[in-house]
Amino acid sequence: MSIGSWLRDHPRMLERAYGSTKSLFQKLDPVIKRIGYERVNRWIAGPEDWSKRLAFDCKMCGQCVLHSTGMTCSMSCPKNLRNGACGGVRENGHCEVKPEMRCVWVEAFERSEKMGEWGQEISHIQPPVNRQLEGTSAWVNMLTGVDKEVPKGWVGINTIPVLEKSGGQS
Amino acid sequence: MIGEMKAGTNFERVLRAGHFAVTAELGPPDSSNPADVLHEIEVMGGAVDAYNATDASGAHCHMSSVAVSALTAQQGLDPILQISCRDKNRIAIQGDVLGAAALGVGNVLCLTGDDVTAGDQPQAKRVFDFDCMHLLRTLRIMRDKSMFLSGRPLTTAPKLFLGAASNPFAMPFDFRPIRLAKKIEAGADFIQTQYCFDIPRLKEYMKRVVDMGLHEKAFIMVGVGPMKGGRSAEFIRKNVPGVRIPDAVVDRLNAAPKGKKAEEGKKICVEMIQQAMEIEGISGAHIMAYKLEHQVPDIVKEAGLWPRPVVEPVEVAEQLPVASNGQG
């Protein structure tokens, strides 16, 4: 088992790591702002790519929603589905496109159920991806807020809490 | 009348009047001859309320769904334009929808689409700029807010009855009703399911759907289809993504005497419709009779769904452009 898949099977731990990294970045924001977001992006995009690729098979979309998708990278779905799972999932729970791989969204759903804080966000509708952010640091984009910007027509409906998962039977 | 009329198409009127609706899939031709589309429609004998024009399903290229839909509309019949996110980005899709609406298309089925590797041109670039949720929401924005996704206003908004697909027969089962809720929230007015050969699984799914009240927010139609025989059923379940055919169905087809296999396949299809009609929350049947389109009239008649109801047209209010609403 690779480090990445071991890590991904411990979504609660990843969720905590995400929470603390997020607050660390938020605390450092004034410093990062002074250095310049673009400059910091150039410094950390590389290491971020390396570490997140190792842990999540990250595709550097630049607008990370891992905590809303069971700490599973939705961009590693061959169809890049932000709102999966598609109807093509095989009987054994594997991917329609890559039969040897478990469906990213089957795993996302399973892992979201093991998460404490953000698990229910799997029922949110994720807005369309901003392709201009590809290859940039999602952490820096979080600080500038560009990762939350949506097309004008989409305003106000960026994520929709359809229902709380705990309300349904499992 | 159930709910507010969105496009006023024949299909929508039948559903909103409370009738059990019937739709069927038109196999688009590998030709540039419009007569081939008209022949296909003729074969169905007016036995359905609307005709789904597939968008390169299974990633196999055929005549475009916009063209097939327009040809159907020209005949005074009601097309359901299928749009897959596999081949077009958001710019192409929004333009296509305006064009289709201008040519008389009022129903649109929003799909993510089978992957390019399912087809005969696996070397193609997959697009998937949108997923079906984005597609639904964008078309709803065009219809209800009279603007493109970018916020740029439309001078005439398309009147659309929006649909999505659902596969109750694919994992993760517990997540499927939640995903359906998302599709309805995103904009789906009607749902067509993947082929159903497993009534107990459909019942289980629909129980969750009804508990969540989703059947009151969208019209849910069961997908069905006749199989030519055991061998073709095995081929389909092996090669068509997301289709589950239980062994019992394959065995039944295999056990049918030679020359009677297609008849048995049709019988199973009729039984599926009749059993699904008994399930709370099912509002119609969608027949996918791939290369067996001539069976559609018989299936509809044998299921007791003939003749099709006639529901008088109603006026649908124009959606005013939002240009003066402080946009831009």
Side-chain angles (χ1 to χ4, degrees), chain B residues 119-136:
Chain B
D120 58 349
Q121 303 187 62
Q123 308 84 355
K125 181 174 169 65
R126 47 175 84 91
V127 180
F128 297 116
D129 179 29
F130 270 0
D131 62 27
C132 62
M133 226 64 81
H134 304 144
L135 176 54
L136 279 164

mmCIF file of all heavy atoms in Angstrom, chain B residues 119-136:
data_model
loop_
_atom_site.group_PDB
_atom_site.id
_atom_site.type_symbol
_atom_site.label_atom_id
_atom_site.label_comp_id
_atom_site.label_asym_id
_atom_site.label_seq_id
_atom_site.Cartn_x
_atom_site.Cartn_y
_atom_site.Cartn_z
ATOM 1 N N GLY B 119 -16.146 4.383 -26.511
ATOM 2 C CA GLY B 119 -16.507 4.429 -27.927
ATOM 3 C C GLY B 119 -15.452 3.885 -28.866
ATOM 4 O O GLY B 119 -14.501 3.222 -28.436
ATOM 5 N N ASP B 120 -15.611 4.196 -30.149
ATOM 6 C CA ASP B 120 -14.687 3.686 -31.160
ATOM 7 C C ASP B 120 -13.600 4.703 -31.507
ATOM 8 O O ASP B 120 -12.829 4.492 -32.435
ATOM 9 C CB ASP B 120 -15.459 3.256 -32.421
ATOM 10 C CG ASP B 120 -16.263 4.403 -33.019
ATOM 11 O OD1 ASP B 120 -16.392 5.449 -32.357
ATOM 12 O OD2 ASP B 120 -16.769 4.249 -34.151
ATOM 13 N N GLN B 121 -13.573 5.832 -30.764
ATOM 14 C CA GLN B 121 -12.511 6.806 -30.975
ATOM 15 C C GLN B 121 -11.902 7.196 -29.622
ATOM 16 O O GLN B 121 -11.974 8.353 -29.206
ATOM 17 C CB GLN B 121 -13.052 8.040 -31.703
ATOM 18 C CG GLN B 121 -13.705 7.670 -33.029
ATOM 19 C CD GLN B 121 -14.110 8.877 -33.855
ATOM 20 O OE1 GLN B 121 -13.275 9.678 -34.267
ATOM 21 N NE2 GLN B 121 -15.391 9.014 -34.098
ATOM 22 N N PRO B 122 -11.326 6.203 -28.931
ATOM 23 C CA PRO B 122 -10.823 6.464 -27.574
ATOM 24 C C PRO B 122 -9.643 7.437 -27.540
ATOM 25 O O PRO B 122 -9.260 7.896 -26.473
ATOM 26 C CB PRO B 122 -10.408 5.069 -27.075
ATOM 27 C CG PRO B 122 -10.172 4.274 -28.314
ATOM 28 C CD PRO B 122 -11.118 4.801 -29.349
ATOM 29 N N GLN B 123 -9.119 7.757 -28.731
ATOM 30 C CA GLN B 123 -7.988 8.703 -28.790
ATOM 31 C C GLN B 123 -8.457 10.141 -28.597
ATOM 32 O O GLN B 123 -7.638 11.046 -28.440
ATOM 33 C CB GLN B 123 -7.289 8.612 -30.161
ATOM 34 C CG GLN B 123 -6.881 7.217 -30.603
ATOM 35 C CD GLN B 123 -8.025 6.442 -31.284
ATOM 36 O OE1 GLN B 123 -9.168 6.895 -31.349
ATOM 37 N NE2 GLN B 123 -7.701 5.249 -31.765
ATOM 38 N N ALA B 124 -9.770 10.355 -28.608
ATOM 39 C CA ALA B 124 -10.310 11.723 -28.538
ATOM 40 C C ALA B 124 -10.008 12.383 -27.196
ATOM 41 O O ALA B 124 -9.813 11.702 -26.186
ATOM 42 C CB ALA B 124 -11.823 11.682 -28.750
ATOM 43 N N LYS B 125 -9.981 13.714 -27.210
ATOM 44 C CA LYS B 125 -9.784 14.463 -25.969
ATOM 45 C C LYS B 125 -11.115 14.534 -25.233
ATOM 46 O O LYS B 125 -12.128 14.914 -25.822
ATOM 47 C CB LYS B 125 -9.308 15.879 -26.297
ATOM 48 C CG LYS B 125 -9.046 16.748 -25.075
ATOM 49 C CD LYS B 125 -8.445 18.087 -25.503
ATOM 50 C CE LYS B 125 -8.401 19.083 -24.371
ATOM 51 N NZ LYS B 125 -7.525 18.700 -23.266
ATOM 52 N N ARG B 126 -11.117 14.176 -23.966
ATOM 53 C CA ARG B 126 -12.347 14.331 -23.187
ATOM 54 C C ARG B 126 -12.412 15.758 -22.663
ATOM 55 O O ARG B 126 -11.392 16.310 -22.257
ATOM 56 C CB ARG B 126 -12.431 13.305 -22.066
ATOM 57 C CG ARG B 126 -11.211 13.106 -21.219
ATOM 58 C CD ARG B 126 -11.482 12.150 -20.066
ATOM 59 N NE ARG B 126 -11.371 10.745 -20.394
ATOM 60 C CZ ARG B 126 -10.272 10.015 -20.283
ATOM 61 N NH1 ARG B 126 -9.153 10.572 -19.867
ATOM 62 N NH2 ARG B 126 -10.261 8.733 -20.584
ATOM 63 N N VAL B 127 -13.600 16.345 -22.686
ATOM 64 C CA VAL B 127 -13.732 17.738 -22.285
ATOM 65 C C VAL B 127 -14.131 17.852 -20.801
ATOM 66 O O VAL B 127 -13.345 18.306 -19.977
ATOM 67 C CB VAL B 127 -14.724 18.493 -23.191
ATOM 68 C CG1 VAL B 127 -14.855 19.940 -22.749
ATOM 69 C CG2 VAL B 127 -14.252 18.443 -24.638
ATOM 70 N N PHE B 128 -15.340 17.442 -20.473
ATOM 71 C CA PHE B 128 -15.813 17.491 -19.079
ATOM 72 C C PHE B 128 -15.455 18.809 -18.385
ATOM 73 O O PHE B 128 -14.983 18.822 -17.257
ATOM 74 C CB PHE B 128 -15.288 16.301 -18.264
ATOM 75 C CG PHE B 128 -15.777 14.967 -18.754
ATOM 76 C CD1 PHE B 128 -14.901 14.013 -19.262
ATOM 77 C CD2 PHE B 128 -17.130 14.656 -18.722
ATOM 78 C CE1 PHE B 128 -15.354 12.781 -19.729
ATOM 79 C CE2 PHE B 128 -17.595 13.426 -19.185
ATOM 80 C CZ PHE B 128 -16.702 12.487 -19.684
ATOM 81 N N ASP B 129 -15.660 19.925 -19.093
ATOM 82 C CA ASP B 129 -15.465 21.241 -18.487
ATOM 83 C C ASP B 129 -16.522 21.401 -17.389
ATOM 84 O O ASP B 129 -16.234 21.880 -16.291
ATOM 85 C CB ASP B 129 -15.635 22.304 -19.583
ATOM 86 C CG ASP B 129 -15.480 23.719 -19.068
ATOM 87 O OD1 ASP B 129 -14.743 23.922 -18.092
ATOM 88 O OD2 ASP B 129 -16.107 24.630 -19.660
ATOM 89 N N PHE B 130 -17.740 20.994 -17.692
ATOM 90 C CA PHE B 130 -18.858 20.947 -16.752
ATOM 91 C C PHE B 130 -19.074 19.506 -16.310
ATOM 92 O O PHE B 130 -18.670 18.577 -17.012
ATOM 93 C CB PHE B 130 -20.146 21.345 -17.487
ATOM 94 C CG PHE B 130 -20.465 22.821 -17.466
ATOM 95 C CD1 PHE B 130 -19.653 23.742 -16.831
ATOM 96 C CD2 PHE B 130 -21.627 23.275 -18.095
ATOM 97 C CE1 PHE B 130 -19.984 25.085 -16.838
ATOM 98 C CE2 PHE B 130 -21.953 24.622 -18.102
ATOM 99 C CZ PHE B 130 -21.139 25.529 -17.473
ATOM 100 N N ASP B 131 -19.761 19.313 -15.184
ATOM 101 C CA ASP B 131 -20.407 18.026 -14.952
ATOM 102 C C ASP B 131 -21.911 18.278 -15.083
ATOM 103 O O ASP B 131 -22.342 19.419 -15.283
ATOM 104 C CB ASP B 131 -19.984 17.412 -13.608
ATOM 105 C CG ASP B 131 -20.373 18.237 -12.394
ATOM 106 O OD1 ASP B 131 -21.363 18.988 -12.473
ATOM 107 O OD2 ASP B 131 -19.685 18.142 -11.367
ATOM 108 N N CYS B 132 -22.712 17.213 -14.978
ATOM 109 C CA CYS B 132 -24.143 17.384 -15.264
ATOM 110 C C CYS B 132 -24.788 18.391 -14.304
ATOM 111 O O CYS B 132 -25.743 19.081 -14.661
ATOM 112 C CB CYS B 132 -24.860 16.046 -15.210
ATOM 113 S SG CYS B 132 -24.790 15.284 -13.601
ATOM 114 N N MET B 133 -24.242 18.502 -13.097
ATOM 115 C CA MET B 133 -24.800 19.438 -12.110
ATOM 116 C C MET B 133 -24.605 20.887 -12.593
ATOM 117 O O MET B 133 -25.510 21.705 -12.494
ATOM 118 C CB MET B 133 -24.075 19.232 -10.782
ATOM 119 C CG MET B 133 -24.945 19.164 -9.584
ATOM 120 S SD MET B 133 -26.075 17.752 -9.546
ATOM 121 C CE MET B 133 -25.035 16.431 -8.958
ATOM 122 N N HIS B 134 -23.426 21.173 -13.119
ATOM 123 C CA HIS B 134 -23.148 22.516 -13.649
ATOM 124 C C HIS B 134 -24.020 22.795 -14.865
ATOM 125 O O HIS B 134 -24.514 23.913 -15.051
ATOM 126 C CB HIS B 134 -21.668 22.641 -14.062
ATOM 127 C CG HIS B 134 -20.712 22.313 -12.950
ATOM 128 N ND1 HIS B 134 -19.520 21.663 -13.166
ATOM 129 C CD2 HIS B 134 -20.795 22.526 -11.618
ATOM 130 C CE1 HIS B 134 -18.907 21.510 -12.005
ATOM 131 N NE2 HIS B 134 -19.657 22.019 -11.057
ATOM 132 N N LEU B 135 -24.196 21.777 -15.693
ATOM 133 C CA LEU B 135 -25.001 21.922 -16.901
ATOM 134 C C LEU B 135 -26.452 22.250 -16.541
ATOM 135 O O LEU B 135 -27.052 23.190 -17.079
ATOM 136 C CB LEU B 135 -24.908 20.617 -17.720
ATOM 137 C CG LEU B 135 -25.744 20.517 -18.982
ATOM 138 C CD1 LEU B 135 -25.489 21.674 -19.927
ATOM 139 C CD2 LEU B 135 -25.446 19.195 -19.703
ATOM 140 N N LEU B 136 -26.993 21.494 -15.599
ATOM 141 C CA LEU B 136 -28.379 21.734 -15.157
ATOM 142 C C LEU B 136 -28.534 23.152 -14.630
ATOM 143 O O LEU B 136 -29.460 23.877 -14.981
ATOM 144 C CB LEU B 136 -28.740 20.760 -14.030
ATOM 145 C CG LEU B 136 -29.163 19.346 -14.430
ATOM 146 C CD1 LEU B 136 -29.091 18.432 -13.214
ATOM 147 C CD2 LEU B 136 -30.563 19.335 -15.012
#
